[in-house]
Amino acid sequence: MTCAYPFNDVIMGPVMFRFQVTPAEGEPFDYEIDGDVLFVGRSTNCDITIADRFLSRRHARLFESDTGWQIEDLGSRNGTFINGRRVEQPTDIQAGDVIAISASMIKVQLGPAASSPSGIATDVPSTDRFLRSAVEVLRQSGTPPPPTDAPDSPALRRYAARLAVLNNIHQATARSISLDELLGLILDHIFAQLQPERAEVFMRCNDGSYTCVANRSGPRSNLRSLYSESLFSEVGDKAMAALVTDTRSDHRFAEAESLLSAGVRSLMAAPLYGPDRALGLIVLASNASLRQYSEEDLELLVTLASVTALRLHNLALTREAVERQRLERDLTIARGIQVALLPERLPEIGGYLLYGATRPSRGVSGDYYQVVERAGGDEFVLALADVSGKGISAAMITGYLEAVASVPIEDGLPPHDIFGRISPKLYRRTLPNQFATMFLGVLKPSTGGFRFASAGHSPACLVRSSGVIEWLNSTGMPLGLVPDTGYELGEESLGSGDTLVVYSDGYTEAENPAGEEFGQDRLAEVCLEHQHFEPDDLAEAVDRALENFAAGRPFSDDRTIVVVRRSE
């Protein structure tokens, strides 16, 4: 059941911007904006003077900027917080924000001073603070009583009891503990110390919603679910602590029939706030006629919630570490399988020099190359493929592509017919967004004849001995992109001194810090400049030029290159 708390602002009368101030000492008061700069502090010279001995004389500045009103901390000792987050620089404020300075609170509101959000009267007793910054509650709860208190004073006894509870929790969670064990332990302490009729723990999901992960009810409780979108927004997202001592006499619950009919008398909620975001919240409720939660109860709940959030964060880090280790093991296995697919060395071809290498961007590559002999050495097949995507999934498709291509290659089919065989198979066995580009060429060493097909692959660079650059362009669509398509056959001839450079787009699409791509023209310039080098030295020159161009920017794609040079 979703509880309908009337928390949202209702604008009554002429609209204006104002602040509802709840000082650490004294009665709450409203302050309407007058001017475009306001100073807040304990000094009587400030525009908003707050009775709080822990405030700086000039604690913070509120001012109107081009984007609206902002708040700036003026180097105060105890800091300024908005919705539980420390203000490090001028920060925008808007209606509904809660500003915490020391133990005082300022709520930003829309509406005339005579009214307040949700129709809440301003004469609600100050001892019944509905929303307070959890950061400030935690700071107060961790402050020991003054040394002037007697050894057996109630303040010292309560402080000692709170330390004992926290010590028990820290000892219990020092060992390895699961999420269910942690939540069960926290609920045990909540029921032992605070004696609610019902308690629920909600966790924040990746989409921003909340789900109940643990709950417990007292032996005679008839309370239903404490699920509330408004509580999630105010307590979970904004890191505020909520306390209602008696729903029957509180104006804020005048329309909350579901709570009143269930007999809810006292309600508390505290955020589970991690280092950088809301993890969830804990909600308690009581229907006992004489059980009303106090400020001290709220302090204990906020402390327990803080400890729980820390342990939840540590559990998440542990799970991430275990998952990283598992993923690293999987990557190691996948990398081993992939390396086994790549040739240990390229074949020796009389009158030709060959070199090939691949450099994965993520440990496991989606690129693949090989040069295989067929027809008793009368032909050599050069293949270079680039599977869409990266990592393990791309490596798996690469392995499948190598397997389905091996049979038609060995059968002596020309490149375009090989593509016609393997593309439909790849289409049927992969997801719609998975495909591969591939360059496939057949070299006849005795004549230098070179037949090729390119399935949407980057144009191969043919550097003639005369210094002319020719591009071997695509002759059809990528493999596996559509169920059935045809490919054309291209024909060239490698003369003495000619150099063929086949590569994946990880080279040409690599970017520098300005977002500019390396491109085909730069690749061609390097190949032309080093055309008389050994193939491995030419490939090294390309890599060196690419690294200089990238200027430290990480490569986002795998890079594979094969160089064939006719030396005779």
Side-chain angles (χ1 to χ4, degrees):
M1 180 187 71
T2 301
C3 302
Y5 295 95
F7 298 160
N8 296 329
D9 289 345
V10 176
I11 309 305
M12 302 173 63
V15 177
M16 60 181 66
F17 203 22
R18 67 189 180 89
F19 303 112
Q20 187 182 55
V21 183
T22 305
E25 304 169 15
E27 295 297 319
F29 63 90
D30 288 345
Y31 185 93
E32 293 186 15
I33 289 180
D34 182 15
D36 53 8
V37 178
L38 304 173
F39 289 94
V40 182
R42 59 183 173 86
S43 171
T44 56
N45 293 325
C46 289
D47 301 282
I48 304 178
T49 302
I50 300 178
D52 187 334
R53 59 194 177 96
F54 293 107
L55 284 185
S56 299
R57 293 182 61 81
R58 273 191 155 190
H59 195 100
R61 180 172 72 105
L62 292 154
F63 62 96
E64 190 173 14
S65 68
D66 293 339
T67 60
W69 278 84
Q70 294 186 321
I71 187 169
E72 177 185 23
D73 185 83
L74 299 178
S76 65
R77 180 177 180 182
N78 293 320
T80 301
F81 298 81
I82 294 182
N83 302 326
R85 293 181 180 272
R86 192 181 188 98
V87 174
E88 303 289 354
Q89 58 187 4
T91 303
D92 291 337
I93 61 173
Q94 56 187 355
D97 284 345
V98 177
I99 303 169
I101 47 177
S102 185
S104 301
M105 180 179 70
I106 301 173
K107 187 164 186 179
V108 183
Q109 296 183 332
L110 287 174
S115 65
S116 58
S118 306
I120 301 171
T122 57
D123 60 355
V124 175
S126 61
T127 56
D128 187 15
R129 296 181 185 173
F130 175 61
L131 289 175
R132 293 174 58 196
S133 166
V135 174
E136 292 304 325
V137 173
L138 189 61
R139 179 179 297 165
Q140 285 186 328
S141 67
T143 303
T148 55
D149 283 9
D152 61 344
S153 68
L156 279 175
R157 287 199 301 268
R158 289 190 297 269
Y159 186 74
R162 185 160 55 242
L163 289 180
V165 171
L166 296 180
N167 182 60
N168 290 338
I169 292 176
H170 282 300
Q171 287 185 346
T173 56
R175 60 180 176 83
S176 177
I177 187 171
S178 67
L179 176 61
D180 290 341
E181 290 175 315
L182 172 63
L183 297 179
L185 176 67
I186 297 299
L187 289 177
D188 287 343
H189 283 282
I190 285 175
F191 271 81
Q193 300 295 323
L194 299 173
Q195 302 174 4
E197 298 299 321
R198 184 172 178 83
E200 296 187 6
V201 181
F202 295 92
M203 295 293 292
R204 193 173 192 269
C205 305
N206 292 333
D207 61 0
S209 63
Y210 287 80
T211 183
C212 182
V213 294
N215 64 78
R216 187 177 298 178
S217 294
R220 292 178 296 276
S221 173
N222 63 352
L223 293 184
R224 297 180 290 274
S225 173
L226 304 176
Y227 186 99
S228 168
E229 294 288 349
S230 297
L231 276 180
F232 299 154
S233 174
E234 297 292 337
V235 178
D237 296 344
K238 297 181 180 179
M240 306 302 292
L243 169 62
V244 175
T245 58
D246 192 343
T247 57
R248 296 186 305 179
S249 61
D250 195 311
H251 294 76
R252 291 169 293 223
F253 288 86
E255 300 177 8
E257 297 180 0
S258 57
L259 284 181
L260 297 175
S261 62
V264 172
R265 289 288 301 275
S266 195
L267 175 74
M268 284 197 303
L272 300 171
Y273 215 81
D276 55 355
R277 66 182 182 91
L279 302 178
L281 67 156
I282 300 177
V283 185
L284 310 187
S286 174
N287 61 1
S289 60
L290 298 178
R291 181 68 173 105
Q292 292 183 329
Y293 293 119
S294 65
E295 291 279 345
E296 292 174 357
D297 292 332
L298 182 64
E299 290 177 1
L300 178 57
L301 179 62
V302 170
T303 303
L304 291 174
S306 176
V307 173
T308 304
L310 176 62
R311 297 301 177 184
L312 289 172
H313 179 66
N314 290 341
L315 281 175
L317 292 178
T318 301
R319 288 195 298 269
E320 289 176 4
V322 172
E323 180 63 21
R324 280 197 301 270
Q325 291 176 356
R326 185 195 65 79
L327 181 59
E328 288 173 359
R329 288 194 299 269
D330 290 347
L331 285 173
T332 300
I333 295 172
R335 180 61 177 161
I337 295 173
Q338 185 183 46
V339 169
L341 295 177
L342 298 174
E344 294 184 7
R345 64 177 61 87
L346 296 182
E348 295 184 2
I349 306 175
Y352 295 83
L353 300 175
L354 283 74
Y355 175 80
T358 185
R359 293 170 177 79
S361 63
R362 297 188 181 182
V364 179
S365 171
D367 288 0
Y368 158 74
Y369 77 95
Q370 67 175 352
V371 178
V372 296
E373 178 183 346
R374 75 177 187 183
D378 188 50
E379 292 182 340
F380 288 84
V381 179
L382 183 159
L384 194 154
D386 182 1
V387 174
S388 63
K390 304 174 184 65
I392 294 178
S393 62
M396 293 176 63
I397 298 175
T398 301
Y400 175 74
L401 180 61
E402 189 273 342
V404 297
S406 61
V407 173
I409 287 177
E410 293 175 358
D411 288 345
L413 269 63
H416 64 305
D417 288 342
I418 295 175
F419 285 167
R421 289 276 189 92
I422 64 179
S423 183
K425 295 181 179 179
L426 195 64
Y427 177 84
R428 291 194 299 268
R429 300 295 178 89
T430 58
L431 297 175
N433 63 340
Q434 293 176 321
F435 58 90
T437 67
M438 190 171 185
F439 183 91
L440 194 63
V442 178
L443 173 66
K444 191 175 183 62
S446 59
T447 64
F450 188 74
R451 295 176 297 161
F452 71 93
S454 176
H457 199 78
S458 300
C461 181
L462 179 56
V463 184
R464 297 296 187 183
S465 59
S466 62
V468 174
I469 299 291
E470 296 180 11
W471 296 102
L472 309 189
N473 294 312
S474 174
T475 63
M477 299 179 65
L479 303 174
L481 196 60
V482 294
D484 188 22
T485 186
Y487 296 88
E488 296 180 1
L489 182 67
E491 294 192 45
E492 291 288 348
S493 179
L494 298 185
S496 178
D498 290 347
T499 301
L500 176 67
V501 180
V502 186
Y503 56 92
S504 63
D505 60 12
Y507 281 97
T508 52
E509 294 183 1
E511 296 182 349
N512 62 13
E516 183 182 6
E517 291 187 352
F518 187 69
Q520 292 179 208
D521 292 341
R522 289 187 178 88
L523 177 72
E525 289 176 6
V526 178
C527 293
L528 182 60
E529 182 180 353
H530 298 83
Q531 65 171 317
H532 300 301
F533 283 45
E534 298 292 305
D536 56 340
D537 292 333
L538 187 151
E540 182 180 349
V542 172
D543 284 327
R544 187 166 56 250
L546 188 65
E547 290 173 359
N548 291 336
F549 175 80
R553 179 166 181 168
F555 296 109
S556 61
D557 202 358
D558 311 320
R559 291 162 292 144
T560 300
I561 189 169
V562 175
V563 182
V564 179
R565 180 165 176 259
R566 186 171 184 179
S567 56
E568 296 180 357

